[in-house]
């Protein structure tokens, strides 16, 4: 079932298009389609125009890539001076400009652009390829959901180069035109980001011969939670968690060239990881508890902020505590927006604005993640039910529309007891493996309260989905199927 939903998600992803060779802000992704890989210091790309694959390289001293968004205009510039091991050189100066439109009411953004300036020269031995014309068009769309931004788009371009063969009376000016069709898709959230680009290029030479090159490029960053043992046996704690932030780029070119050469070129690189140590949990009532690991992870990450040494894992999880935990898990920061006048009244009559972490409650309401028991009352101290938790997870992910058409029946024996508001949520969390039914009875038990331990386990699965499952879908699945 989970694979079925992943394939559905992949199909939706590939309907749209967006791209970048260098992962950054999802709303300002790169439009280049060269398949280049880079880290903080090095840059590499493969070029096939000469009929032989050439790997051009440079360092941070040789490249300058900028992105700037002002007044609805996104400008992206590339200035590169690269060399190859055989002495070949590549210089490139290109500027792209896109019109960015925010559709705040529906949480989306589009960017559509063209090339404004271009110059490029490739020198390989006695041959010099000069960019004579560049036609370029790109379109992107970003869907901003509470837990993650999803984006996709495409680029279509045509580059025409001139080069001269022979000398004197035998000199001849030749052309090569490169038609590029590129599709891109990705996501970005607090815990990680991945975008994958599939680019197909056809080289047409003035003598009628052609070359074909396909590039698969994927850039990914992630925040991995590791447990670090304390080497001191007499220390006050046995160990603690650390967040390791990592980023890598992989690129694969497959080529069939006019020269008769066929093959594959692989490039990859990694950024230097960073590490952040987290606070140490010291709960005294979790010894040998099945949810101990999940609870301690969530506490170390700051998703829980209990000051007591007793977590009380088997007591019901309150609606307010679960909502705040979700808000912290997806890093909601709506209340930090500048030039926004804060309302003087609470979003619910039974939740005071002075309540600790109130901004997360208001943010969750504004993002459509939570709803009150009634329009005016939240019932913050009531226990969160399994049905309510399922609905909240799916709203946060923005996947409400991935359920079948209305009228369907779930696989659970207590399907008739599922509230209408949570039917789609329960279907989707089960497909994704975030929440499942009782394997013995076949029931989902939608109206059963979640204990603090049970809530911790499903929250941990939610984080794992944001960290790992999305990456698999947007990297491995797209690369495998394309």
């Amino acid at each position: 079932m989970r694979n079925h939903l992943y394939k559905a998600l992949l199909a939706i992803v590939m309907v749209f298009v967006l791209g970048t060779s260098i992962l950054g802000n999802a709303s300002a992704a790169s439009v280049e389609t060269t398949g280049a890989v880079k880290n903080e210091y090095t840059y590499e790309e493969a070029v096939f125009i000469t009929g032989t694959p050439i790997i051009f390289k440079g360092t941070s001293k040789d490249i300058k890539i900028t992105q700037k968004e002002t007044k609805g205009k996104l400008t992206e510039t590339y200035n590169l001076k690269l060399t190859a091991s055989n002495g070949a050189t590549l210089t490139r100066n290109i500027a792209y400009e896109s019109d960015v439109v925010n559709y705040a009411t529906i949480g989306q953004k589009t960017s559509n652009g063209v090339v404004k300036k271009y110059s490029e020269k490739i020198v390989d031995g006695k041959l010099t390829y000069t960019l004579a014309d560049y036609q370029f068009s790109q379109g992107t769309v970003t869907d901003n959901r509470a837990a993650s931004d999803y984006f996709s788009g495409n680029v279509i371009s045509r580059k025409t180069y001139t080069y001269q063969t022979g000398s004197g009376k035998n000199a001849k000016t030749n052309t090569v035109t490169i038609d590029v069709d590129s599709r891109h898709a990705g996501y970005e959230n607090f815990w990680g980001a991945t975008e994958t680009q599939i680019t197909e290029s056809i080289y047409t030479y003035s003598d009628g011969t052609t070359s074909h090159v396909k590039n698969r490029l994927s850039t990914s960053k992630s925040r991995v939670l590791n447990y670090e043992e304390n080497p001191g046996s007499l220390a006050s704690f046995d160990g603690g968690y650390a967040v390791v932030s990592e980023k890598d780029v992989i690129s694969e070119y497959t080529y069939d060239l006019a020269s008769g050469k066929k093959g594959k070129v692989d490039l990859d690189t990694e950024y230097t990881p960073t590490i952040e140590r987290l606070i140490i949990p010291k709960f005294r009532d979790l010894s040998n508890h099945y949810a101990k690991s999940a609870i301690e992870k969530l506490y170390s990450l700051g998703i829980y902020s209990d000051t007591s040494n007793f977590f009380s894992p088997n007591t019901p999880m309150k609606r307010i505590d679960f909502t705040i935990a979700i808000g912290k898990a997806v890093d909601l920061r709506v209340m930090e927006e500048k030039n926004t006048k804060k309302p003087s009244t609470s979003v619910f009559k039974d939740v005071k604005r002075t309540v600790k972490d109130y901004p997360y409650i208001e943010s969750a309401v504004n993002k459509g993640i939570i709803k009150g028991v009634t329009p005016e009352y939240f019932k913050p101290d009531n226990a969160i039910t399994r049905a309510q938790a399922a609905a909240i997870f799916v709203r946060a992910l923005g996947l409400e529309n991935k359920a079948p058409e209305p009228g369907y029946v779930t696989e659970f024996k207590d399907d008739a007891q599922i509230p209408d508001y949570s039917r789609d949520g329960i279907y989707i969390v089960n497909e994704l493996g975030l929440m499942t039914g009782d394997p013995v009875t076949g029931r989902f038990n939608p109206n059963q309260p979640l204990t603090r331990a049970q809530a911790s386990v499903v929250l941990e699965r939610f984080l794992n989905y944001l960290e790992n499952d999305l990456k698999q879908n947007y990297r491995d699945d797209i690369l495998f199927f394309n």
Side-chain angles (χ1 to χ4, degrees):
M1 292 176 66
R2 190 180 309 180
N3 289 336
H4 171 74
L5 186 58
Y6 277 157
K7 291 178 181 178
L9 287 171
L10 181 61
I12 295 296
V13 163
M14 296 313 293
V15 167
F16 298 104
V17 262
L18 169 100
T20 180
S21 57
I22 302 166
L23 190 62
N25 189 320
S27 65
S30 167
V31 293
E32 273 289 82
T33 56
T34 62
V37 302
K38 71 178 289 292
N39 59 23
E40 308 96 324
Y41 185 65
T42 63
Y43 178 101
E44 288 184 280
E45 72 172 77
V47 172
F48 301 86
I49 195 170
T50 66
T52 298
I54 301 176
I55 309 299
F56 285 97
K57 299 181 179 182
T59 69
S60 57
K61 298 178 181 179
D62 307 310
I63 62 173
K64 183 179 181 182
I65 302 173
T66 65
Q67 290 180 334
K68 183 179 180 181
E69 185 176 341
T70 57
K71 297 181 179 180
K73 293 285 186 182
L74 172 63
T75 302
E76 184 173 354
T77 64
Y78 286 76
N79 298 284
L80 299 87
K81 294 182 179 180
L82 309 175
T83 58
S85 59
N86 68 347
T89 61
L90 182 155
T91 58
R92 179 184 302 144
N93 297 280
I94 296 178
Y96 303 100
E97 186 175 278
S98 302
D99 292 313
V100 180
V101 181
N102 282 296
Y103 298 87
T105 56
I106 58 174
Q108 295 183 18
K109 176 185 289 188
T110 61
S111 173
N112 296 284
V114 296
V115 65
K116 300 298 289 185
K117 299 179 182 179
Y118 62 85
S119 66
E120 184 175 326
K121 183 179 290 187
I122 300 169
V123 179
D124 180 29
K126 296 181 179 181
L127 293 179
T128 298
Y129 298 82
T130 302
L131 182 61
D133 185 65
Y134 190 9
Q135 302 298 319
F136 170 92
S137 177
Q138 69 89 17
T140 70
V141 60
T142 302
D143 192 20
N144 302 116
R145 299 296 92 190
S148 189
D149 294 340
Y150 307 90
F151 53 93
S152 59
N154 67 341
V155 173
I156 297 175
S157 70
R158 172 176 290 175
K159 293 182 177 181
T160 299
Y161 297 81
T162 60
Y163 64 101
Q164 186 172 306
T165 55
S167 61
K169 293 182 180 180
N170 296 322
K172 180 181 179 181
T173 299
N174 305 275
T175 63
V176 54
T177 298
I178 306 176
D179 290 290
V180 176
D181 186 353
S182 184
R183 310 185 310 277
H184 319 254
Y187 73 91
E188 183 167 17
N189 59 54
F190 182 67
W191 299 100
T194 296
E195 53 184 312
T196 297
Q197 177 187 65
I198 308 295
T199 301
E200 298 186 65
S201 302
I202 300 175
Y203 296 63
T204 303
Y205 294 84
S206 50
D207 63 2
T209 59
T210 60
S211 295
H212 298 264
V213 178
K214 185 172 184 177
N215 175 252
R216 296 176 175 88
L217 173 73
S218 186
T219 305
S220 187
K221 64 180 181 180
S222 59
R223 288 161 51 89
V224 180
L225 190 66
N226 294 330
Y227 184 81
E228 303 289 341
E229 294 280 355
N230 188 339
S233 60
L234 299 180
S236 62
F237 61 97
D238 295 328
Y241 288 96
V243 173
V244 180
S245 297
E246 303 173 323
K247 182 176 177 180
D248 66 87
V249 189
I250 58 174
S251 182
E252 177 193 86
Y253 303 85
T254 54
Y255 59 90
D256 183 355
L257 305 183
S259 61
K261 296 182 179 181
K262 299 181 181 180
K264 184 173 69 170
V265 174
D266 291 313
L267 302 178
D268 63 82
T269 190
E270 295 180 352
Y271 285 68
T272 303
T274 61
I275 190 167
E276 176 188 1
R277 287 302 298 256
L278 305 178
I279 59 175
I280 304 161
K282 292 187 177 182
F283 295 118
R284 298 176 58 189
D285 56 350
L286 298 179
S287 180
N288 299 320
H289 197 284
Y290 75 91
K292 182 177 187 291
S293 175
I295 293 168
E296 291 185 341
K297 286 180 183 179
L298 296 172
Y299 177 80
S300 293
L301 287 166
I303 293 172
Y304 291 153
S305 57
D306 299 62
T307 57
S308 170
N309 287 334
F310 296 91
F311 185 77
S312 303
N314 300 319
T315 60
M317 171 67 83
K318 295 180 180 179
R319 283 169 52 84
I320 189 170
D321 293 336
F322 188 81
T323 300
I324 291 170
I326 283 286
K328 291 182 177 181
V330 301
D331 196 39
L332 284 181
R333 293 181 178 179
V334 173
M335 296 303 295
E336 295 181 9
E337 294 180 357
K338 297 181 180 180
N339 302 321
T340 300
K341 186 177 180 180
K342 298 179 182 179
S344 58
T345 58
S346 172
V347 290
F348 296 112
K349 289 184 176 180
D350 54 353
V351 180
K352 295 181 179 180
R353 292 183 59 83
T354 55
V355 168
K356 183 183 178 184
D357 291 324
Y358 170 82
Y360 288 104
I361 302 294
E362 185 167 77
S363 297
V365 172
N366 292 337
K367 288 284 189 178
I369 298 177
I370 64 166
K371 298 179 180 179
V373 175
T374 68
E376 295 183 333
Y377 292 92
F378 184 61
K379 300 295 183 183
D381 293 329
N382 282 12
I384 191 83
T385 66
R386 287 171 55 80
Q388 292 167 351
I392 289 171
F393 281 134
V394 173
R395 291 183 200 132
L397 292 170
L399 300 180
E400 302 95 315
N401 295 327
K402 297 299 185 288
E405 293 184 3
Y408 67 91
V409 177
T410 68
E411 65 181 41
F412 302 110
K413 291 183 179 180
D414 54 353
D415 177 85
Q417 297 177 22
I418 295 176
D420 289 340
Y421 75 85
S422 65
R423 177 169 295 274
D424 291 347
I426 289 173
Y427 173 87
I428 294 167
V429 296
N430 182 58
E431 288 281 281
L432 295 177
L434 298 179
M435 297 178 70
T436 57
D438 188 318
V440 177
T441 66
R443 300 168 63 88
F444 187 81
N445 301 312
N447 300 310
Q448 183 181 91
L450 279 176
T451 65
R452 286 168 61 80
Q454 292 168 340
S456 300
V457 171
V458 295
L459 279 166
E460 183 189 29
R461 290 177 190 161
F462 179 66
L463 292 183
N464 287 336
Y465 176 85
L466 294 174
E467 295 171 17
N468 304 315
D469 294 16
L470 282 175
K471 178 179 178 179
Q472 176 182 329
N473 182 236
Y474 276 86
R475 170 171 279 188
D476 299 346
D477 293 353
I478 292 178
L479 291 177
F480 177 78
F481 288 115
N482 290 272

